[in-house]
Amino acid sequence: MKNKQKKFIENRELLRFIIDQSSSATIVVDKDEEVIMTNQEHERMTGYSGKYLVGMTLGEMIEQKIIHDATTRRVMDRKETVVLEQLSYKNDGEGISRMVKGVPYFDESGEIQYVICYIFDTSEKRKVIEDLTSSNLKYSMELLQLKNDAAKKLGIVYRSAVMKNIIDKAEIMAKTDSTVLILGESGVGKSLLARFLHNNSNRKAGTFLTINCGAVPDSLIESELFGYEKGSFTGALSGGKQGLVEMADGGTLFLDEIGDMPYDLQVKLLRLLQEREFFRIGGTKPVMVNTRIIAATNVNLKEKIKEKKFREDLYYRLNVLELNIPPLRERPEDIPPLVETFKQKFNEVYQLKKEITGEVLTFLSRMELKGNVRELENLIERLILFSNKKTITLSDLYGIIDLSLEDTFNTDLRIANRSYREICEELDKQIFTEAKKLYKSTTEIGNRLGINQSTVSRKLRKYHI
């Protein structure tokens, strides 16, 4: 018995040692919501000693403003690991936003006995992000400028009447300072059109900046857009920071994926559009700017308004002028010039001299490109890079086009419940059926597809074409 007691004491001390060596602030709460253990990192982070907290309940911690909300209770309710951003307070009363990961510990009957919470100081992480953003800002802007210059050199390629109408409207809109809302599916070229508006405006000598509202965390987007004053929050740069709105003064700011902007931040953008001024985070004086706003989205903003996820007044402030780019499947006549443009681009990039047959152009024009221009560009790059022949034919599409997605083509091809071989054979049959309609002889088919005449004859016999 004495040996067992000694072993238990040793194990407890070992557990204490392990927890104290952790770089994460840790607190353990039992099923009765009572604190039974904390570690040294927790004391360093919060200022509260383990002796003070052990024996205290969650309710008492909330009442004494040690924490604002209890992740532990979410874990107990859901009976699963929960990660939340939780507001807690140091012993000097300073409020800090921290990331808390609560992990349940179950007994043999499946009931929660303990919840172990690991706490991470997001203010330190935020400072690192801010420092990196600041130190690399010049590099990032130069890289963005290079990409924009490449897009400008490439130009907006089109042949269809609908795109000509859009470009004609854009040339007129570019001469104004009005806000423009660009609509369209992902990959249709909204950012390129935004750059076109800037390059053809009287602001073209000014700065053109882009921010993707869906790619920046909610906790950072306000400071990225509007900046902040020094000392406005824990982890802020000592000298404060200029936001993109201010950096684009005299130029254009492109707000991509505007439908993903946090609802609470939309009122601040509305003020900017109405008054041409804004407040930095922590600031008391308004900052006046002359920045043109161009926004874009691939979602239905009117549906977002109904769902109370987008402000109706902001929608009408953004939608002064509207450009709606149709998907590539509705303008297939634009595909051949786009293919030619991308072919030239990637031949130059990879120092090659590949050609693409008319049959490939016809085939690509019939594809349902769900990723639009971006998908087509990626496809042409793969064809140029991976084809081992100077002339790219239909046979080179094998292994390049992703056959794992249903309805990739505007045909009756289906993937579900079929083997790869069956799918390839059906596609193979479609290619030779189409080739037989286009060309007069098996020799011509072979020349066009880049295969020998005997292979063509064998394929035609196999599929009874």
Side-chain angles (χ1 to χ4, degrees):
M1 181 63 71
K2 288 182 179 179
N3 288 336
K4 288 184 177 180
Q5 289 176 342
K6 182 180 178 182
K7 194 69 174 178
F8 174 77
I9 292 171
E10 289 176 353
N11 287 340
R12 186 176 63 184
E13 292 304 316
L14 176 61
L15 177 62
R16 161 62 62 187
F17 177 80
I18 292 171
I19 291 178
D20 278 338
Q21 294 306 306
S22 173
S23 60
S24 300
T26 306
I27 183 170
V28 183
V29 180
D30 66 14
K31 63 180 180 180
D32 298 319
E33 296 191 351
E34 186 175 307
V35 178
I36 64 168
M37 187 180 294
T38 67
N39 70 347
Q40 293 176 358
E41 180 63 19
H42 187 276
E43 181 173 343
R44 185 200 69 78
M45 181 183 290
T46 65
Y48 291 100
S49 67
K51 290 182 180 179
Y52 182 78
L53 294 177
V54 170
M56 188 177 292
T57 65
L58 295 178
E60 290 170 339
M61 292 176 70
I62 293 174
E63 184 178 348
Q64 294 184 31
K65 292 189 175 180
I66 297 173
I67 58 175
H68 177 267
D69 191 14
T71 304
T72 303
R73 289 178 173 173
R74 303 283 184 92
V75 175
M76 291 180 173
D77 288 341
R78 300 181 186 179
K79 293 188 176 183
E80 63 182 9
T81 297
V82 173
V83 179
L84 292 175
E85 191 170 9
Q86 176 176 293
L87 183 63
S88 58
Y89 301 87
K90 289 187 176 181
N91 56 2
D92 59 4
E94 181 186 3
I96 303 292
S97 176
R98 294 189 171 106
M99 194 65 68
V100 182
K101 178 181 179 181
V103 180
Y105 178 84
F106 299 94
D107 61 16
E108 294 180 355
S109 62
E111 296 299 322
I112 293 179
Q113 289 298 303
Y114 305 101
V115 176
I116 302 96
C117 290
Y118 303 96
I119 306 168
F120 307 92
D121 194 339
T122 55
S123 64
E124 293 181 0
K125 181 179 179 182
R126 181 184 185 121
K127 187 177 187 304
V128 172
I129 294 173
E130 294 286 4
D131 289 341
L132 288 173
T133 302
S134 177
S135 63
N136 291 308
L137 182 60
K138 182 179 180 181
Y139 171 77
S140 299
M141 291 300 104
E142 289 174 349
L143 184 60
L144 179 63
Q145 189 64 48
L146 285 173
K147 290 181 178 180
N148 287 330
D149 288 345
K152 180 181 178 182
K153 181 180 178 181
L154 184 60
I156 299 177
V157 180
Y158 63 92
R159 183 183 290 170
S160 63
V162 64
M163 280 303 298
K164 182 181 184 306
N165 185 44
I166 288 172
I167 297 303
D168 290 345
K169 287 182 178 179
E171 287 180 335
I172 297 172
M173 295 177 182
K175 306 304 179 185
T176 74
D177 279 336
S178 299
T179 305
V180 180
L181 179 62
I182 304 175
L183 306 176
E185 293 180 2
S186 178
V188 294
K190 298 187 290 295
S191 59
L192 189 59
L193 188 57
R195 181 73 199 199
F196 178 87
L197 288 166
H198 174 78
N199 286 350
N200 288 273
S201 72
N202 56 8
R203 297 171 175 266
K204 60 185 178 182
T207 304
F208 178 86
L209 297 178
T210 298
I211 183 170
N212 188 315
C213 300
V216 182
D218 290 358
S219 58
L220 290 179
I221 189 168
E222 183 176 5
S223 63
E224 288 298 305
L225 279 174
F226 300 105
Y228 53 76
E229 300 292 346
K230 61 180 180 179
S232 54
F233 54 81
T234 303
L237 295 176
S238 58
K241 178 188 173 184
Q242 220 180 29
L244 295 177
V245 170
E246 198 171 349
M247 292 171 64
D249 188 18
T252 304
L253 177 61
F254 176 47
L255 304 177
D256 201 6
E257 306 299 346
I258 188 67
D260 292 327
M261 175 173 282
Y263 192 87
D264 294 338
L265 188 57
Q266 293 175 23
V267 67
K268 196 163 184 176
L269 178 59
L270 181 64
R271 177 184 175 85
L272 172 67
L273 294 172
Q274 291 176 334
E275 308 296 336
R276 294 291 178 182
E277 65 179 24
F278 67 95
F279 287 90
R280 288 183 175 183
I281 297 175
T284 57
K285 294 181 180 180
V287 180
M288 301 293 297
V289 290
N290 177 25
T291 303
R292 186 185 191 183
I293 300 295
I294 298 175
T297 182
N298 61 0
V299 300
N300 190 326
L301 291 182
K302 291 184 178 179
E303 289 297 323
K304 286 249 180 184
I305 292 171
K306 292 178 182 179
E307 297 169 1
K308 305 297 182 183
K309 294 180 179 179
F310 201 86
R311 294 180 62 97
E312 187 173 16
D313 47 4
L314 177 59
Y315 171 75
Y316 289 110
R317 275 288 174 182
L318 290 171
N319 196 18
V320 177
L321 301 174
E322 181 183 294
L323 290 171
N324 195 335
I325 307 177
L328 205 52
R329 61 182 174 275
E330 294 180 12
R331 46 188 178 97
E333 57 266 50
D334 288 341
I335 292 179
L338 282 168
V339 170
E340 181 63 24
T341 300
F342 295 143
K343 182 199 75 174
Q344 293 177 8
K345 173 185 175 181
F346 294 118
N347 269 332
E348 182 177 343
V349 168
Y350 297 114
Q351 297 183 352
L352 298 170
K353 295 182 179 180
K354 300 288 182 70
E355 294 295 333
I356 297 177
T357 64
E359 293 71 38
V360 173
L361 286 179
T362 301
F363 191 83
L364 293 175
S365 297
R366 295 173 56 190
M367 284 182 62
E368 188 176 350
L369 295 159
K370 296 179 180 178
N372 293 294
V373 178
R374 187 181 298 120
E375 182 183 352
L376 180 63
E377 182 176 7
N378 294 341
L379 176 57
I380 298 303
E381 181 175 10
R382 293 198 298 271
L383 283 170
I384 294 293
L385 186 59
F386 294 118
S387 173
N388 55 10
K389 295 182 295 185
K390 184 177 180 180
T391 300
I392 297 170
T393 65
L394 285 176
S395 61
D396 294 302
L397 290 172
Y398 285 102
I400 299 295
I401 294 177
D402 184 7
L403 296 179
S404 64
L405 301 176
E406 269 194 57
D407 299 327
T408 300
F409 306 95
N410 289 321
T411 68
D412 292 328
L413 187 65
R414 291 293 180 268
I415 307 300
N417 300 318
R418 304 177 67 191
S419 69
Y420 177 76
R421 183 174 181 177
E422 289 174 332
I423 296 167
C424 288
E425 283 195 352
E426 180 174 340
L427 182 59
D428 201 37
K429 182 179 179 180
Q430 291 179 14
I431 292 172
F432 283 96
T433 300
E434 186 70 20
K436 187 68 167 60
K437 295 176 182 178
L438 290 172
Y439 308 114
K440 297 178 181 179
S441 66
T442 54
T443 301
E444 186 177 1
I445 293 174
N447 291 336
R448 294 291 186 175
L449 297 183
I451 57 179
N452 57 54
Q453 187 266 344
S454 61
T455 300
V456 175
S457 299
R458 179 170 54 82
K459 292 284 188 179
L460 294 179
R461 289 195 303 271
K462 177 181 178 180
Y463 299 125
H464 305 287
I465 300 172

